[in-house]
Amino acid sequence: MIGNFMYYNPTKLYFGSESLDYLKGELKNYGSKVILAYGGGSIKKNGIYDQVLAILREAGKTVVEDAGVMSNPTLEKLHEGVKIAREHQADLILAVGGGSVCDYAKAVAASVHFDGDYWEEFFLKQQNPPQGQPIIPVGCVLTMAGTGSEMNGGSVITDEANTFKIGHVFDHRLMPKFSILNPRFTMTVPVEQMKAGIFDIMSHLMEQYFSGTDDNTSDYLAEALMKNVVTDAYKAVKNPQDYEARSNIMWVATWALNTLVKCGKRQDWMVHMFGHSVGAHTHAAHGDTLAAISLAYYKHVMSYGLPKFCRFAVNVWGVSSTGKTEEEIAYEGLDALEKWMKEIGLPTKISEIGVTNEMIDGIAKGVVILDAGYHKLSQDEVLQVLNKSM
Ligand code: NZQ
Ligand code: ZN
């Protein structure tokens, strides 16, 4: 562990098929006005809405609904949510849904008492709310596994007018105060969406893993979590009602992006930068956008971080290194990743998720270029990666 870092994660987790029982106790810690934020209606169909509402009523809360948080929440919806929360002087925002609802709740919570242009300040300028500014606490009842939003400060918003999707990782004040993780709640997630969530988890781990050259505990942890995702993805795709597999996937998702495995790491995050731009142009599921770009991107940068790509091949995929060059081993690792993706039915090309040749220039312009793990791309290389993944 060569880096210097501070580790602090204040989110309290309740996990398991009976975890919703703990919501009532948590509610005692907050005032009476609760904004109940949720998505397009899945929670009404699967009964989660009724269960949560009953608990809120029993706890004597005044509930204000903020419904219709779409997948990949928009800036327009954020404005609406801020208005609702300001009008009703919310004491708590309870997000019931997937990463989109949870991300949205954080953006609203940060913005309500901010005196200025919150979009520009928090997202375009990547600032945090000023110290001392009141922030509405966020709680989460998670219904879909993938983003890790339940235990991090991340929030991703899409500005539809400018076809631009951008995330900000807020400081610990915006991490959910508590999150309830009931794997049974994820059982009604459509299978294609479940697969996208599975790849999102894998991608979060790879984004943090592919950086650095030191012997780092974070990498050992990431390898274990990756092996867990790979194994349980097969089980969950074969039988989406497999509680053991779905519960492992939910727990891995949380640990894959709750700030643990980034400790001491430079990190990469370029797959997400590509994915966000592809998502802004196609509205494809977040995890699918990452799957579709990953192989082309990793093949492009592999030579700059060859030892880590070899380690990935051997430690995650069980590739034998005997009698092979480093490059051959590294390629076999990416081939194994591709084989797994195809076996569980994930897209491996952006053309499979609606990208057309006419969109490429616009998508390239929307890709934020980071320093990355091993190699900083030029604008021309961004185009090359996009074209290779068509
Ligand atoms: O809107 P509803 O009706 O609830 O339907 C949702 C949505 O259509 C549905 N769904 C969720 N739980 C369900 C269910 N359907 C049936 N049964 C259930 N139990 O699934 C669809 C997708 O939900 P969404 O919340 O959009 O998915 P996800 O959790 O993948 O979140 C995606 C958003 O998170 C951002 C992404 O960019 C994207 O905007 N991310 C957030 C991150 C973070 N906070 O750290 C990191 C990620 O890398 C990611 O960027
Ligand atoms: Zn992601």
Side-chain angles (χ1 to χ4, degrees):
M1 301 289 281
I2 282 174
N4 296 282
F5 56 86
M6 185 273 285
Y7 180 78
Y8 174 58
N9 192 320
T11 303
K12 194 193 291 181
L13 298 176
Y14 296 99
F15 187 91
S17 59
E18 286 163 22
S19 50
L20 191 63
D21 293 351
Y22 294 93
L23 177 59
K24 197 174 169 197
E26 273 302 322
L27 291 173
K28 289 191 181 118
N29 300 325
Y30 305 95
S32 63
K33 283 271 182 72
V34 179
I35 304 269
L36 174 60
Y38 59 96
S42 68
I43 64 163
K44 289 204 168 160
K45 288 194 204 110
N46 57 26
I48 299 171
Y49 171 86
D50 289 336
Q51 291 179 59
V52 170
L53 199 63
I55 295 168
L56 285 165
R57 294 230 164 102
E58 218 182 302
K61 302 294 180 186
T62 305
V63 179
V64 176
E65 298 204 12
D66 180 359
V69 181
M70 62 293 285
S71 218
N72 310 313
T74 63
L75 178 57
E76 216 180 333
K77 179 67 188 163
L78 172 60
H79 292 322
E80 188 186 309
V82 172
K83 196 163 166 258
I84 295 173
R86 280 181 180 161
E87 218 170 273
H88 293 276
Q89 299 180 352
D91 296 312
L92 172 73
I93 304 179
L94 185 64
V96 184
S100 292
V101 179
C102 199
D103 279 16
Y104 166 83
K106 292 176 208 169
V108 172
S111 305
V112 170
H113 296 286
F114 181 70
D115 192 16
D117 184 339
Y118 42 82
W119 170 248
E120 184 172 315
E121 185 73 6
F122 303 151
F123 291 91
L124 302 181
K125 291 191 183 158
Q126 297 282 308
Q127 298 300 307
N128 280 306
Q131 290 300 324
Q133 179 205 297
I135 286 168
I136 303 179
V138 171
C140 167
V141 176
L142 193 67
T143 65
M144 137 134 205
T147 64
S149 189
E150 65 275 14
M151 201 183 185
N152 69 36
S155 174
V156 184
I157 301 292
T158 300
D159 175 2
E160 283 200 305
N162 291 301
T163 328
F164 186 54
K165 182 175 181 181
I166 188 167
H168 175 54
V169 182
F170 286 102
D171 65 34
H172 69 271
R173 293 172 294 163
L174 268 307
M175 289 180 175
K177 298 291 174 223
F178 64 89
S179 283
I180 290 174
L181 314 182
N182 180 343
R184 290 225 181 277
F185 288 175
T186 69
M187 298 284 196
T188 54
V189 172
V191 171
E192 292 309 309
Q193 196 70 55
M194 173 191 80
K195 292 180 194 173
I198 285 171
F199 195 82
D200 194 19
I201 303 168
M202 189 68 182
S203 180
H204 295 158
L205 292 163
M206 292 190 292
E207 296 273 33
Q208 294 164 97
Y209 182 79
F210 287 122
S211 64
T213 51
D214 58 324
D215 188 33
N216 187 318
T217 299
S218 294
D219 290 335
Y220 293 93
L221 292 169
E223 284 165 357
L225 294 169
M226 285 192 264
K227 286 203 273 195
N228 195 165
V229 180
V230 170
T231 306
D232 279 310
Y234 284 123
K235 292 184 191 170
V237 167
K238 194 167 165 217
N239 175 17
Q241 300 306 310
D242 180 336
Y243 181 84
E244 224 166 60
R246 297 299 291 267
S247 59
N248 284 347
I249 288 168
M250 193 171 207
W251 192 232
V252 173
T254 303
W255 288 92
L257 197 57
N258 72 350
T259 71
L260 177 74
V261 302
K262 76 168 185 145
C263 287
K265 300 286 302 179
R266 175 189 168 100
Q267 310 175 71
D268 190 281
W269 291 108
M270 276 311 295
V271 166
H272 272 67
M273 296 304 107
F274 277 104
H276 286 170
S277 194
V278 168
H281 285 259
T282 60
H283 300 288
H286 169 65
D288 285 347
T289 65
L290 309 174
I293 200 76
S294 284
L295 294 166
Y297 174 71
Y298 287 130
K299 282 178 186 163
H300 188 87
V301 298
M302 193 186 84
S303 62
Y304 299 95
L306 208 47
K308 183 53 76 61
F309 281 90
C310 281
R311 181 175 160 170
F312 175 70
V314 173
N315 289 1
V316 178
W317 300 101
V319 170
S320 157
S321 55
T322 318
K324 293 173 194 160
T325 64
E326 274 201 318
E327 201 171 33
E328 284 167 343
I329 301 163
Y331 263 119
E332 277 192 39
L334 293 182
D335 287 346
L337 171 65
E338 181 169 1
K339 181 168 171 277
W340 171 73
M341 290 167 69
K342 288 191 167 150
E343 280 172 355
I344 64 168
L346 283 162
T348 54
K349 300 260 176 213
I350 53 175
S351 49
E352 289 172 50
I353 55 168
V355 174
T356 60
N357 285 322
E358 294 69 43
M359 290 183 191
I360 294 285
D361 282 343
I363 292 174
K365 280 196 194 97
V367 175
V368 176
I369 300 176
L370 305 173
D371 288 343
Y374 295 115
H375 172 65
K376 185 172 180 177
L377 298 181
S378 66
Q379 195 64 44
D380 189 51
E381 287 176 294
V382 167
L383 270 174
Q384 285 175 36
V385 171
L386 287 168
N387 282 318
K388 277 189 208 151
S389 67
M390 281 297 283

